[in-house]
Amino acid sequence: ADLVWARYGDADSLDPHRATSTLSMQVWDQIYDTLLAFDMEGTPGPNMAESWEVSDDGLTYTFKLAEGIKCHDGSDFTAQDVKFTIDRAFGDAPSLTKTSWGPITEVTVEDPLTFTVAMSSKFGAFIPFLADSFSSMICDTNTAGTFGSSTAIGTGPFKLVEWVKGDQVTLEANADFVNRGDPVENPGAPYIDRLIIRTVPEAQTRLAALTTGEVHIAEPPFDDVAAIQEEGELEIMVAENTGQDVFWEFTTSRPPFDDIRARQAVAYATDPQMAIDIIYGGLTNREWCPVARGVFGNDQAFCKRYGYPYDPEKAQALLAEMGYGPDKPLETTMFVWTGGNRHKLAEIFQAQLAQVGIQAGIEIMDIGTMNARVKAQNEDSTSEEPGTFDMMTWSWYDPDILYQLWHSPGAYSGFQNAELDAMLEETRTTIEPEARLEKVQAVIRYLMENAVHIGLYSPGWEWVFAVRPEVSGFKVGPFLHPIFTDVKIEG
Amino acid sequence: MSETLLSVQDLTVAFGRGPERNVAVKGLSYDLRKGETLAIVGESGSGKSVSSMALLGLLPPRSACIESGRAMFRDRDLLTLPEADKRALRGDAITMIFQEPMTSLTPVLRIGLQLTEALVEHKAMSQREAEARAREMLRLVGLDQPERRMRQFPHELSGGMRQRVMIAMAMAADPAILIADEPTTALDVTVQAQILNLMRGLKDQFSTSIILITHDMGVVAEMADRVVVMNRGRKVEEGPVSTLFTAPKEAYTRRLLDAVPRLGAYAAAAEPRRVVEAPAPVGDTLVRARGMSKTFSSGGFLFGRGGATTRAMQDVGFELKAGETLALVGESGSGKSTTGRAVLRLMELDAGEVEVDGVDVRNLSSSGLRKARRRMQMIFQDPFASLNPRMSVGKLVAEPMTIHGIASGSELDGRVEELFRRVGLEADHIRRYPHEFSGGQRQRIAIARALGVGPKLIVADEPTSALDVSVQAQVLELMLELQQSLGLAYLFISHDMAVVEEVSHRVAVMRQGRIVEIGTRQAVLNAPAHAYTRALLAAVPVPDPARERQVLPELDVGTLPMGALAEVAPGHMAAQ
Amino acid sequence: MTTETLDPRSADADAPVAASARRKPRSFLAALLRSPSGLIGLVIVGLLVVCALTAPVIAPHDPLRMAAGPRLQPPTWDYWMGTDDFGRDVLSRILYGAQLTLQIGVIAVGISLTCGLLLGLVAGYSSGWTERVLMRLVDVLFSFTEIVIALACLAIFGVGLTNAMIAIGIASIPFYARVTHSVVLVEKGKPYFEAATAAGAGHLRLIFVHLLPNVVPTLIVVGTLGVSTAVLAAAGLSFLGLGAQPPEPEWGFMLSASRDLISRAPWMMIFPGLAIAVTVLGFNLLGDGVREALDPRQRQR
Amino acid sequence: MTRFIAQRLLAALVTVWIATIAVTLLVHVVPGDPVRIMYGSFQTTPEELEAIRVRLGLDQPIWIQYAKYLGRLLQGDLGRSIVGDQPVLDILLVRFPMTLALAMASLVIAVAVGMSLGFLAAYKRGTWVDAGAMILAIVGVSMPHFWLGLLLLFLFALTLQWLPVAGGDWMSLILPALTLGLANAAVLARMTRSAMIDIFDQDFVRTARAKGLSQTLVLYRHALRSGLVPIVAMLGLQFAYLMGGAIVVENVFAWNGVGRFAIEAVFARDYPLIQGFILFFATVVALASVIVDVAYAFLDPRIRYS
Ligand SMILES: Nc1ncnc2c1ncn2[C@@H]1O[C@H](COP(=O)(O)OP(=O)(O)OP(=O)(O)O)[C@@H](O)[C@H]1O
Ligand SMILES: Nc1ncnc2c1ncn2[C@@H]1O[C@H](COP(=O)(O)OP(=O)(O)OP(=O)(O)O)[C@@H](O)[C@H]1O
Ligand SMILES: [Mg+2]
Ligand SMILES: [Mg+2]
Ligand code: NI
C-alpha cells in the first residue's frame, strides 16, 4: 500500500549537509539512519552503533557498529562510510551545520565495524547530535554529482525512487531495513510499500485532500483543528519533545534595542499566551525558557522567575523612562518567517505592541533570508534606521544551541561579551549532567535577565498532523522525527 | 433608346435616429436604360454612393435606414427583396466596382480565388470552368500573364492592375448592371485613361448598363450618355450629357460646371489668370535649386525590413523668381512633394544646393533655419490635417508670428484679425477650432497662417486637391489675388493640368524623381517636347461631351527618354 | 482628387458650419456621461474616491483594532461584511483599503506614465539612432512582461506595498513608452506637425505645444485603463505576500489572509475580491468611456 | 522566409542577450552586500564569505564577471541555487513542463472561448448578444485571477468535490487552466471583437458582399481569415501575459511550475534562482513571439513575400 503524506513545502536538498530546514530533515530521516537514536524521552541510545566508549580525557570516542547493515545500493555499511560522512561534513563544501559536530580533529577506522573520533576539546553535545538527523549517515557510494537531488543512498527504512522537486518525493520500503533504536515496535522493514511525500502548500487544499482520501497524513489548517476533532473522523496528532523554541531576538548593536529597557518593554507588552490561544488554540504551549521542553536544562519554574509576564503598564513605564510616549512612539520592524500562521501571530503582537506605543512594521521573509538579515542588522551598528527585532525560531536537541547562538562571533553577531562566552564554554566542556545543568541554567538566567533571548512558545512549526482513520501506527519521535515503519493502512 | 432596366423611385435613405437623424438621400428617382451609361455627379457627401449601395443592400444594416422608395428591376423591387434573393442578384445581375482599388480586395486571398468564387456561387460553374472564365476576363481587361496573376496576392499588383482585377471580377458575371463608384478617382490620369477605355470597350462588347458615380466632369463628358446631378441628397437635374453641359437648367448645375477648370481655357494667355487691377510684376530670382537628390531607405539597426530604397528625387534643379508661380506636375510618387519639402529643408537632402532669397538653406544652423523660415511658408493638401486640432484657429494663425517674434499682445490680436479678413473669414471665428470649419475655410486659415510672417515664397502642395471643385475655384482665386497683390512666389504642386494652366507662369513635369520637362507654361502645355508630358496632357478627360470620344492615349513607359535636360527652345528644356 | 470626408455636410464653401457644431456635445464631460460605460465607470470611481476620503468618518469600526467584534462573525447588521479571524470589521478594512488602492493607482500609474511618456516622446521625436536604441530596449523590456520586471524589482528592493507600487510602476514603463512612441510617430507623420516645422517652430514648441497635447488624450485613456491593471497587479503581489504587509487592510492581502479560512469564513474572501473586481471594473469602464468620449468619430455621431 | 525567421531569431537573441546583462546587474543593484544576503547563514564566518565571493567571482570587475557568466551560460550552466545548492537549470527544467502545460491548456481555453465570443460580438454588433458578450468580457477582465481561482476552488473542489485538489495529474490541471484561460479569454474577446469590427468595416468585406457571396463565405473566408492576422499577432503578447498570470495562478492552485518557485526564490532571496528564472522566462517569451511572428507571416501573404 502507498501512504501519501502532504506537507506545505518541499525539501531543499536530500543531502543532509546542504540544508537546515525541518522539511528537508524529515525526508532525510526516512532515507538515512543515524549512529544513535533518541527514545521517546529524547535520551540518545544505540542504533547503528551498538555501543561506544569515551576516553578518560573526554577527547576520544570509540564506536562499535552493528553487523550486517546494508546500504540501499546493496553495499555493506561500515566504519568507512562513517568516516566518509564526517570527512565530508568538514570538507571543501562543509556541512551547513558543521559546528554542531563539535571540535572533531580526526576519524579513524580501526576495523570495518570499529572507528574512533578524536576531539580537540571536550564536547558535551556530541552524543545527542549523533541521534539527530543532521548527523545522518551517508553511504560512501554517494559520489555522483546528482547526490542530493536525484540520488541519495542511505541505510534508512526507505529508498529514494524519484524526487520531482516542488511536487513530490517518492520513496519505497527498504526490505533490508532492521530497526535497532527507533522507539517503535516493528523490528524490520516498513509495512507500507511506498511513502509518497507530496507538497500541497494550501492548508485548505490539504484538508480537502485528507477528506477525500487523496492524502493520508497532513498538517491541517489550525483554525479547523477544533472542528476536525469534534467530527472525529481524522485523528489529530501533536508532536511532543520537538525541541522547538520561538523567541524574541533583538538588534542589540544600535538603538533602540541597545537599551535593555526597550527589549524588556517588548517582552512585557506582548502576551504570547493570548496570541497562541487565538492562532493555535491549545496546540502549543507558552515557553518561558530559551531552550524548549524536552531539552536538557529546560525548567519552566526556573525560567519563569526571570521571565517577563504580560504587563503593559510596566512596558509603558519603561518606554516613558526612555523618553517615548504617545506623541513619540518607538518605531521599529519585526521580522517574521513565512508559513505556519506565524504572520497572524505577528499581527497580534503588532497590535499588542501598538497599545503601549511601539509601532512595529512587519516584514515577512523566508527563514534563510531572516537568518541572514538578522545577522546583517546586528553587524550594521552605525545605521540611522532603528534596529529591528524578530520572532526567531530554533529547534535543537541540546542546550548547545545557546553556544551556537550567543558565543562570539555568534550566529547573529548579536549580544555577546566575554563573561557570557566563558559561561557558554563551560556548558560545552562540562559533561557530567548535574554540573552541566548548573552551567546551562546560569546561561539561561543571564540571557533572560539581559532580555536577549525571550522565550515565547513551543512547539512552533510542522508539529500538528491530521491522520486518516485507516492509518495506524504513525508516530512522531522526539525532535520531530516522523516514523513510518510501524504504519499500516487498512483496506 | 431602349427599354428601362432599372427604375428608382422616390428613394430616401437616412442615417441614425431622432435628433441625430441625417437624411443622406431624399426622394431620388431616375431610370436606367439598357446599354446606357448613367453618370451620377455631385459634390462630396451629396449621396451618390449611398443611393447606389442602397440598391444592392450594402448599406451598414444598423445605422442606415431606407425610409421610402422603390427600385424596380425585372419587375421586382430591389429594396424589399429578401436578403437571399438580393444576394442572388449581387455579383450576378448587378455588380459593383469601388473607388479604392488598394483596399477593395481581400489581402490574404489569391486573386484567382477572389475572381472565381462569385462564379462558382452564382453560375454553378465548376472551379475549373470558373478559372478558365477568370483567365479570359483577365486577358480581356489587359492583364498579361493571367495564369500568374491568378496565383498572386493583391499586394503584388499595382493600383491600376488591382482596379483591372476589380473590373474583371465585376464583368465576369456578365451583369445586366454595373455600378462603378468613382472607379478611377484614386488613380493617376494615365492609368485612369486606360481604365476608362477599358470600361467603354467592355460596355460596347457586352452592352451592359453602367451607373457611373463620379465627381469629375471630365470623366462624365468622356463616358456618360445621361447624367443625374445630385446635391445634398436630392436630384437637382437629369438629362442627356450633351444638353446638360450645353444648357444646364438649374443654377446649381451651372455653378458646378463653371467651377470646373478646363484645360486649354487659358492656353492663349502667357500669364496666370489676372484677378487684380495691377498685378505685382515678376521680379528677380528667389529660389535657386541645383542637383537635388534624395533616396529613402527603410530599415536599419539589425532588423528593419532591410534594404528597400526609393530614389525619390534625382538631380532636380530649377529657378523661381519673386512673384512667379512654378507648377510641379507629375503622377503620384514622382517626387513632387519631396521637392517641395527639400526647398524648405523639411527633410535633409543627400546632395544638391538650395538657395532661397540669397541664403544657402542647406547649410543653415538650426536657429538660422528657423529664422529663414520667415521667408518661406507652406500650404498642404489636406487643410484639416495640417491644422493642429487642439489649437484654436486664432492661435494657429498667430503661431508663426509668435515664433518669429513679429508681434505680441494686442498687436498680435489685431494682426490675426486682419489676416482673417484678408483671406475672407470673419473675425469672430478666431476662437473656434479647426473642426468647426468647412474644407474651404480651413484652407483659408492655413493660408492666413502662412501669410502672417510676410513670406516671399509659399510652397503649396496640392492645396486644392482635397476640395470640391466649387471650393477649389474660390481657394485658387484667393491664392492668385494674394500673389498678384503681394508679389508672392509659389511653388505650386499639383496633378491637375487644368488647375496648373490657370495659375502658373512656368511648369516643371516630374517623373520618377526627375524633372523631364521644364519651361514656360505655354511652352510646356501648348507645345510639349517630352513624350511623357504629351501623354499626361492627352490623358486628361476633357469636360466637353461635344468633343468626339476617342480612345484615350496610353503610355509606352519603356521608350521614355529619362536623360539629362537639354534646351529645346529658349527657356524650355526637356529630358533626352 | 480625393474627397473631403470629415465634414461633408458643409460642402458649400464658406457657409458657417453652425449645423455641425451644434450636433456636437458641449464638452468632454458631457460626452463621457452620455456613454453608459463612462457613466458607470465614473460613478464607481467616484464612489471609490469618496470611500477613500471619508473612510475615517463612515467606517463603523477601527480597521486595525483586533477583537472589535467576535472572531469570524458572518455578516450581521453590526458587521455588514462580517469579521475576520482577529475580530476586525471587514467592512471598515475594505473602506480603509480604498485609500491604499487609490494610492497604488496614482503612484504606480504616475511613475509609469511620466517615465513612459518621456521615453516615448524622446524616442519618437528624435528618430535615428536614439530612437532605435531606446525603442529596442523598451521592446526587450516589454517582452520580459510586467510581472517578471516587478518580481525583479522586488527581489532588489525587498517586499512591501510601497516597493510593490514602485515595482509595478517601473514594470509598466515599457508599455507606456511604446504607446507614446507609436502615438508620437502617428502625430509626427501628420501634416500639422510638418506645418509647424515649416512655420519655424523649435524643438520645445514642437514637442510641448504640438505633440504633447495630441499625445495626452491617448495617454489619458491608457492611464485610466492602466490604473485598473496596476490595482490588479498590486493586489496580485499582495496576495502572493510580496506587497502589502500586516496590518495594512489592502484588499489583495485580505484575500490572501482569507485563503486558510475559505470554507469557514467565505465572506472574508468574497468581499475583498468584490472590492477589487468592482474597482478594476470601474476604471476599465471609465477608460472605455474616456476613449469613446475622446474619439471624434464617436463624438460626431 | 528563411531570412525572415533568421531575423526574428536574431531579435529574440538580442532580447535574451539584454536579459543576461539585466540579470548580471540585478545582483549588483541589490542594496547591501549580496554575498552576505545570499550566503550569510548563521554559521558563515567572514573568511568563508570572502571565499564565496572569490568562488563566485564577485571580487572581479563587473565586465569580467559578465564575460564569465556568459561563458558559463553557453555551457548551459545557470549556476547553483542557494537553497539546497542545486543546479538552477535542473530546477527550471523540472518545473518548466508543468508551467508549459498550464500555459498551453489555458491558451487553448482562452482562444476557444475568447475568440468565439469576440467574433460573435463583432458579428452581432449593437445587439444584446454583443452587449452581453462584452459585459461578460469586461467583468472577466476586471476579475482578479487569484480571486477567480479561489472561487473556483471553493466551488468545485471544496464544496462540490468534483475535482481533485492535490496531485499533479491532468485532472488537477483543469481548475488552474480554467482560471487562467477564462481571465485571458476575456482580454482576447475584447481584442477579437475590435479587430473583427475593423475588418467588417473594410472595403474588401464590402466587395465580398457585393459579389453576392453567402454569409458563411464572407465571414469565414474573407473576414475571419483577414481578421486572424492581427489576432495572431496579439497572441504572442497574450502568451506572455499567460506566462505572467501563471505565476499567480500556480500559487493559488499549488501547481508546481516555474512561477511558484520564482515566488519562493524571491522570498528566499535566492538570487541565482531569480536570475535563472528571469533569463529563462525572457527566453521562453522571446521564442514564443518568434513562433507567433512566423505563424503570422504564414497567415499574411504581405509579409511572406517581402
Ligand atoms: N455609414 C454612414 N453613417 C452615417 N452617415 C453616413 C454613412 N455613410 C454616408 N453617410 C452620410 O451620407 C451622406 C451621403 O454620403 P455618400 O457617401 O453617399 O456621399 P457621396 O456623394 O458618395 O460623396 P463622396 O464623393 O465623398 O463619395 C453624407 O452626408 C454622409 O455623411
Ligand atoms: N519619408 C519617406 N520615407 C520613405 N519613402 C518616401 C518618403 N517620402 C516619400 N517617399 C517616397 O518617395 C517617392 C516620392 O514621393 P513624393 O511624396 O515626393 O511623391 P509625390 O509626387 O508628391 O506623389 P503624390 O502625388 O502621391 O503626393 C515615393 O515613391 C514615396 O513613396
Ligand atoms: Mg462616395
Ligand atoms: Mg505629394
Ligand atoms: Ni482628382
PDB file of all heavy atoms in Angstrom, chain C residues 58-60 78-83 88-97 254 271:
ATOM      1  N   ILE C  58     -16.908  57.296   7.829  1.00  0.00           N
ATOM      2  CA  ILE C  58     -18.011  56.368   7.613  1.00  0.00           C
ATOM      3  C   ILE C  58     -17.711  54.948   8.087  1.00  0.00           C
ATOM      4  O   ILE C  58     -18.629  54.160   8.258  1.00  0.00           O
ATOM      5  CB  ILE C  58     -18.448  56.330   6.128  1.00  0.00           C
ATOM      6  CG1 ILE C  58     -17.284  55.917   5.244  1.00  0.00           C
ATOM      7  CG2 ILE C  58     -19.007  57.662   5.700  1.00  0.00           C
ATOM      8  CD1 ILE C  58     -17.708  55.701   3.800  1.00  0.00           C
ATOM      9  N   ALA C  59     -16.445  54.626   8.282  1.00  0.00           N
ATOM     10  CA  ALA C  59     -16.151  53.262   8.703  1.00  0.00           C
ATOM     11  C   ALA C  59     -16.728  53.031  10.096  1.00  0.00           C
ATOM     12  O   ALA C  59     -16.477  53.820  11.013  1.00  0.00           O
ATOM     13  CB  ALA C  59     -14.651  53.018   8.716  1.00  0.00           C
ATOM     14  N   PRO C  60     -17.509  51.984  10.252  1.00  0.00           N
ATOM     15  CA  PRO C  60     -18.157  51.771  11.557  1.00  0.00           C
ATOM     16  C   PRO C  60     -17.169  51.384  12.652  1.00  0.00           C
ATOM     17  O   PRO C  60     -17.460  51.574  13.835  1.00  0.00           O
ATOM     18  CB  PRO C  60     -19.151  50.644  11.291  1.00  0.00           C
ATOM     19  CG  PRO C  60     -18.721  50.009  10.023  1.00  0.00           C
ATOM     20  CD  PRO C  60     -17.982  51.032   9.243  1.00  0.00           C
ATOM     21  N   ASP C  78     -24.522  44.494  12.549  1.00  0.00           N
ATOM     22  CA  ASP C  78     -23.420  45.250  13.131  1.00  0.00           C
ATOM     23  C   ASP C  78     -22.184  45.174  12.261  1.00  0.00           C
ATOM     24  O   ASP C  78     -21.437  46.131  12.127  1.00  0.00           O
ATOM     25  CB  ASP C  78     -23.070  44.687  14.519  1.00  0.00           C
ATOM     26  CG  ASP C  78     -24.089  45.128  15.540  1.00  0.00           C
ATOM     27  OD1 ASP C  78     -24.798  46.111  15.241  1.00  0.00           O
ATOM     28  OD2 ASP C  78     -24.186  44.482  16.597  1.00  0.00           O
ATOM     29  N   TYR C  79     -21.984  44.015  11.690  1.00  0.00           N
ATOM     30  CA  TYR C  79     -20.794  43.808  10.857  1.00  0.00           C
ATOM     31  C   TYR C  79     -21.286  43.375   9.484  1.00  0.00           C
ATOM     32  O   TYR C  79     -21.491  42.196   9.248  1.00  0.00           O
ATOM     33  CB  TYR C  79     -19.880  42.753  11.486  1.00  0.00           C
ATOM     34  CG  TYR C  79     -19.513  43.103  12.902  1.00  0.00           C
ATOM     35  CD1 TYR C  79     -20.191  42.559  13.970  1.00  0.00           C
ATOM     36  CD2 TYR C  79     -18.497  44.022  13.143  1.00  0.00           C
ATOM     37  CE1 TYR C  79     -19.890  42.914  15.262  1.00  0.00           C
ATOM     38  CE2 TYR C  79     -18.178  44.383  14.430  1.00  0.00           C
ATOM     39  CZ  TYR C  79     -18.876  43.829  15.496  1.00  0.00           C
ATOM     40  OH  TYR C  79     -18.555  44.201  16.772  1.00  0.00           O
ATOM     41  N   TRP C  80     -21.492  44.371   8.620  1.00  0.00           N
ATOM     42  CA  TRP C  80     -22.151  44.107   7.343  1.00  0.00           C
ATOM     43  C   TRP C  80     -21.418  43.075   6.507  1.00  0.00           C
ATOM     44  O   TRP C  80     -22.020  42.330   5.756  1.00  0.00           O
ATOM     45  CB  TRP C  80     -22.282  45.393   6.535  1.00  0.00           C
ATOM     46  CG  TRP C  80     -23.272  46.346   7.130  1.00  0.00           C
ATOM     47  CD1 TRP C  80     -23.941  46.178   8.312  1.00  0.00           C
ATOM     48  CD2 TRP C  80     -23.700  47.579   6.579  1.00  0.00           C
ATOM     49  NE1 TRP C  80     -24.768  47.250   8.525  1.00  0.00           N
ATOM     50  CE2 TRP C  80     -24.642  48.131   7.479  1.00  0.00           C
ATOM     51  CE3 TRP C  80     -23.387  48.278   5.413  1.00  0.00           C
ATOM     52  CZ2 TRP C  80     -25.256  49.341   7.242  1.00  0.00           C
ATOM     53  CZ3 TRP C  80     -24.004  49.482   5.174  1.00  0.00           C
ATOM     54  CH2 TRP C  80     -24.943  50.013   6.078  1.00  0.00           C
ATOM     55  N   MET C  81     -20.121  43.081   6.619  1.00  0.00           N
ATOM     56  CA  MET C  81     -19.356  42.128   5.827  1.00  0.00           C
ATOM     57  C   MET C  81     -18.666  41.116   6.732  1.00  0.00           C
ATOM     58  O   MET C  81     -17.697  40.486   6.347  1.00  0.00           O
ATOM     59  CB  MET C  81     -18.317  42.849   4.966  1.00  0.00           C
ATOM     60  CG  MET C  81     -18.956  43.781   3.940  1.00  0.00           C
ATOM     61  SD  MET C  81     -17.718  44.521   2.882  1.00  0.00           S
ATOM     62  CE  MET C  81     -18.752  45.561   1.859  1.00  0.00           C
ATOM     63  N   GLY C  82     -19.151  41.008   7.944  1.00  0.00           N
ATOM     64  CA  GLY C  82     -18.579  40.042   8.862  1.00  0.00           C
ATOM     65  C   GLY C  82     -17.281  40.526   9.470  1.00  0.00           C
ATOM     66  O   GLY C  82     -16.854  41.661   9.256  1.00  0.00           O
ATOM     67  N   THR C  83     -16.646  39.651  10.251  1.00  0.00           N
ATOM     68  CA  THR C  83     -15.356  39.997  10.845  1.00  0.00           C
ATOM     69  C   THR C  83     -14.342  38.947  10.424  1.00  0.00           C
ATOM     70  O   THR C  83     -14.699  37.857   9.998  1.00  0.00           O
ATOM     71  CB  THR C  83     -15.432  40.005  12.381  1.00  0.00           C
ATOM     72  OG1 THR C  83     -15.776  38.679  12.814  1.00  0.00           O
ATOM     73  CG2 THR C  83     -16.476  40.974  12.880  1.00  0.00           C
ATOM     74  N   ARG C  88     -11.641  41.689  13.453  1.00  0.00           N
ATOM     75  CA  ARG C  88     -11.658  43.031  12.880  1.00  0.00           C
ATOM     76  C   ARG C  88     -12.813  43.120  11.892  1.00  0.00           C
ATOM     77  O   ARG C  88     -13.175  42.144  11.249  1.00  0.00           O
ATOM     78  CB  ARG C  88     -10.336  43.319  12.172  1.00  0.00           C
ATOM     79  CG  ARG C  88      -9.176  43.435  13.115  1.00  0.00           C
ATOM     80  CD  ARG C  88      -7.884  43.688  12.392  1.00  0.00           C
ATOM     81  NE  ARG C  88      -7.550  42.600  11.480  1.00  0.00           N
ATOM     82  CZ  ARG C  88      -6.301  42.335  11.088  1.00  0.00           C
ATOM     83  NH1 ARG C  88      -5.300  43.068  11.506  1.00  0.00           N
ATOM     84  NH2 ARG C  88      -6.073  41.348  10.266  1.00  0.00           N
ATOM     85  N   ASP C  89     -13.365  44.330  11.765  1.00  0.00           N
ATOM     86  CA  ASP C  89     -14.534  44.527  10.911  1.00  0.00           C
ATOM     87  C   ASP C  89     -14.104  44.568   9.444  1.00  0.00           C
ATOM     88  O   ASP C  89     -13.325  45.433   9.038  1.00  0.00           O
ATOM     89  CB  ASP C  89     -15.213  45.837  11.318  1.00  0.00           C
ATOM     90  CG  ASP C  89     -16.420  46.108  10.461  1.00  0.00           C
ATOM     91  OD1 ASP C  89     -17.125  45.140  10.105  1.00  0.00           O
ATOM     92  OD2 ASP C  89     -16.659  47.281  10.137  1.00  0.00           O
ATOM     93  N   VAL C  90     -14.613  43.643   8.654  1.00  0.00           N
ATOM     94  CA  VAL C  90     -14.184  43.552   7.260  1.00  0.00           C
ATOM     95  C   VAL C  90     -14.593  44.792   6.475  1.00  0.00           C
ATOM     96  O   VAL C  90     -13.814  45.336   5.687  1.00  0.00           O
ATOM     97  CB  VAL C  90     -14.756  42.274   6.607  1.00  0.00           C
ATOM     98  CG1 VAL C  90     -14.458  42.255   5.120  1.00  0.00           C
ATOM     99  CG2 VAL C  90     -14.172  41.035   7.270  1.00  0.00           C
ATOM    100  N   LEU C  91     -15.809  45.299   6.729  1.00  0.00           N
ATOM    101  CA  LEU C  91     -16.264  46.483   6.003  1.00  0.00           C
ATOM    102  C   LEU C  91     -15.327  47.662   6.244  1.00  0.00           C
ATOM    103  O   LEU C  91     -14.895  48.330   5.312  1.00  0.00           O
ATOM    104  CB  LEU C  91     -17.690  46.844   6.438  1.00  0.00           C
ATOM    105  CG  LEU C  91     -18.225  48.169   5.873  1.00  0.00           C
ATOM    106  CD1 LEU C  91     -18.318  48.096   4.363  1.00  0.00           C
ATOM    107  CD2 LEU C  91     -19.579  48.493   6.474  1.00  0.00           C
ATOM    108  N   SER C  92     -14.982  47.885   7.508  1.00  0.00           N
ATOM    109  CA  SER C  92     -14.095  49.013   7.797  1.00  0.00           C
ATOM    110  C   SER C  92     -12.759  48.838   7.116  1.00  0.00           C
ATOM    111  O   SER C  92     -12.177  49.792   6.594  1.00  0.00           O
ATOM    112  CB  SER C  92     -13.880  49.140   9.304  1.00  0.00           C
ATOM    113  OG  SER C  92     -15.110  49.233   9.960  1.00  0.00           O
ATOM    114  N   ARG C  93     -12.281  47.606   7.107  1.00  0.00           N
ATOM    115  CA  ARG C  93     -10.995  47.355   6.461  1.00  0.00           C
ATOM    116  C   ARG C  93     -11.085  47.633   4.964  1.00  0.00           C
ATOM    117  O   ARG C  93     -10.177  48.218   4.376  1.00  0.00           O
ATOM    118  CB  ARG C  93     -10.535  45.917   6.719  1.00  0.00           C
ATOM    119  CG  ARG C  93     -10.030  45.717   8.146  1.00  0.00           C
ATOM    120  CD  ARG C  93      -9.640  44.297   8.433  1.00  0.00           C
ATOM    121  NE  ARG C  93      -8.414  43.848   7.774  1.00  0.00           N
ATOM    122  CZ  ARG C  93      -7.201  44.228   8.121  1.00  0.00           C
ATOM    123  NH1 ARG C  93      -7.035  45.089   9.089  1.00  0.00           N
ATOM    124  NH2 ARG C  93      -6.150  43.757   7.484  1.00  0.00           N
ATOM    125  N   ILE C  94     -12.205  47.244   4.386  1.00  0.00           N
ATOM    126  CA  ILE C  94     -12.348  47.482   2.947  1.00  0.00           C
ATOM    127  C   ILE C  94     -12.428  48.975   2.650  1.00  0.00           C
ATOM    128  O   ILE C  94     -11.814  49.471   1.705  1.00  0.00           O
ATOM    129  CB  ILE C  94     -13.581  46.727   2.403  1.00  0.00           C
ATOM    130  CG1 ILE C  94     -13.221  45.241   2.317  1.00  0.00           C
ATOM    131  CG2 ILE C  94     -14.013  47.260   1.054  1.00  0.00           C
ATOM    132  CD1 ILE C  94     -14.266  44.365   1.725  1.00  0.00           C
ATOM    133  N   LEU C  95     -13.135  49.709   3.505  1.00  0.00           N
ATOM    134  CA  LEU C  95     -13.226  51.154   3.289  1.00  0.00           C
ATOM    135  C   LEU C  95     -11.855  51.803   3.379  1.00  0.00           C
ATOM    136  O   LEU C  95     -11.478  52.619   2.542  1.00  0.00           O
ATOM    137  CB  LEU C  95     -14.177  51.782   4.311  1.00  0.00           C
ATOM    138  CG  LEU C  95     -15.657  51.463   4.084  1.00  0.00           C
ATOM    139  CD1 LEU C  95     -16.506  52.007   5.219  1.00  0.00           C
ATOM    140  CD2 LEU C  95     -16.121  52.028   2.757  1.00  0.00           C
ATOM    141  N   TYR C  96     -11.098  51.428   4.391  1.00  0.00           N
ATOM    142  CA  TYR C  96      -9.751  51.980   4.507  1.00  0.00           C
ATOM    143  C   TYR C  96      -8.860  51.484   3.374  1.00  0.00           C
ATOM    144  O   TYR C  96      -7.963  52.178   2.911  1.00  0.00           O
ATOM    145  CB  TYR C  96      -9.134  51.639   5.868  1.00  0.00           C
ATOM    146  CG  TYR C  96      -9.494  52.623   6.942  1.00  0.00           C
ATOM    147  CD1 TYR C  96     -10.608  52.457   7.730  1.00  0.00           C
ATOM    148  CD2 TYR C  96      -8.701  53.747   7.142  1.00  0.00           C
ATOM    149  CE1 TYR C  96     -10.951  53.368   8.710  1.00  0.00           C
ATOM    150  CE2 TYR C  96      -9.024  54.671   8.119  1.00  0.00           C
ATOM    151  CZ  TYR C  96     -10.155  54.479   8.906  1.00  0.00           C
ATOM    152  OH  TYR C  96     -10.468  55.396   9.860  1.00  0.00           O
ATOM    153  N   GLY C  97      -9.128  50.260   2.969  1.00  0.00           N
ATOM    154  CA  GLY C  97      -8.340  49.701   1.863  1.00  0.00           C
ATOM    155  C   GLY C  97      -8.465  50.527   0.599  1.00  0.00           C
ATOM    156  O   GLY C  97      -7.538  50.581  -0.208  1.00  0.00           O
ATOM    157  N   MET C 254      -5.874  41.011   2.100  1.00  0.00           N
ATOM    158  CA  MET C 254      -7.008  40.450   2.846  1.00  0.00           C
ATOM    159  C   MET C 254      -7.456  39.134   2.216  1.00  0.00           C
ATOM    160  O   MET C 254      -7.772  38.165   2.909  1.00  0.00           O
ATOM    161  CB  MET C 254      -8.177  41.446   2.853  1.00  0.00           C
ATOM    162  CG  MET C 254      -7.931  42.663   3.725  1.00  0.00           C
ATOM    163  SD  MET C 254      -9.174  43.944   3.495  1.00  0.00           S
ATOM    164  CE  MET C 254     -10.599  43.185   4.257  1.00  0.00           C
ATOM    165  N   PHE C 271     -15.831  39.500  -0.078  1.00  0.00           N
ATOM    166  CA  PHE C 271     -15.936  40.953  -0.132  1.00  0.00           C
ATOM    167  C   PHE C 271     -14.677  41.662  -0.652  1.00  0.00           C
ATOM    168  O   PHE C 271     -14.785  42.524  -1.513  1.00  0.00           O
ATOM    169  CB  PHE C 271     -16.408  41.501   1.219  1.00  0.00           C
ATOM    170  CG  PHE C 271     -17.816  41.090   1.526  1.00  0.00           C
ATOM    171  CD1 PHE C 271     -18.098  40.210   2.555  1.00  0.00           C
ATOM    172  CD2 PHE C 271     -18.865  41.545   0.739  1.00  0.00           C
ATOM    173  CE1 PHE C 271     -19.397  39.809   2.814  1.00  0.00           C
ATOM    174  CE2 PHE C 271     -20.169  41.144   0.983  1.00  0.00           C
ATOM    175  CZ  PHE C 271     -20.438  40.272   2.026  1.00  0.00           C
TER     176      PHE C 271
END
